[in-house]
Amino acid sequence: MNRYEIFRSLKHLEENVSQHELIGVAYGETIDDAADEIDECIKADLIADEDNIYTEYNVDVNPFDPAVLQLEQYEYAASGILYPADSNAPENIIHEYGIKEVKCEK
């Protein structure tokens, strides 16, 4: 069993890692087993974001390869996108998330 710790970055995942905020924890044998729970943690974080001024919105979670960014801190990464239901709204809210895999002892 593994524990997946989900951290929200301030802006870019590779910057100011010591200031990233733990927003959730998921459990599973693999990252795929924990994927739904990770998605729910990220969605809940986006919806609760103080920058969320929209009353109607959609949320997407997109995994991406942390090797592209050459991250040392995280084994996995994702971006969370909150976009308004009204297509004329001024902007989307996007956060990057790092995910640490921690082996749990049995």
Side-chain angles (χ1 to χ4, degrees):
M1 180 68 70
N2 296 313
R3 181 176 71 231
Y4 296 93
E5 299 174 347
I6 308 150
F7 292 84
R8 179 173 25 94
S9 68
L10 299 175
K11 189 160 183 130
H12 299 289
L13 201 53
E14 64 273 13
E15 297 175 359
N16 301 315
V17 174
S18 64
Q19 296 177 6
H20 291 183
E21 181 180 355
L22 178 67
I23 59 106
V25 177
Y27 292 90
E29 291 296 326
T30 67
I31 188 76
D32 292 330
D33 293 339
D36 289 343
E37 196 173 351
I38 291 169
D39 284 1
E40 290 305 314
C41 289
I42 292 173
K43 287 176 182 178
D45 181 63
L46 285 167
I47 291 167
D49 189 324
E50 62 190 33
D51 292 335
N52 179 11
I53 58 172
Y54 307 119
T55 55
E56 294 184 30
Y57 48 80
N58 298 300
V59 179
D60 281 336
V61 178
N62 301 314
F64 62 89
D65 185 357
V68 172
L69 299 174
Q70 300 176 350
L71 298 176
E72 296 176 15
Q73 186 80 10
Y74 303 113
E75 285 77 23
Y76 305 95
S79 61
I81 306 167
L82 186 142
Y83 53 98
D86 176 5
S87 61
N88 294 322
E91 64 183 29
N92 298 336
I93 297 171
I94 302 171
H95 286 293
E96 293 180 355
Y97 296 85
I99 303 165
K100 285 185 186 180
E101 182 178 73
V102 179
K103 303 282 184 204
C104 295
E105 303 222 5
K106 293 183 178 185

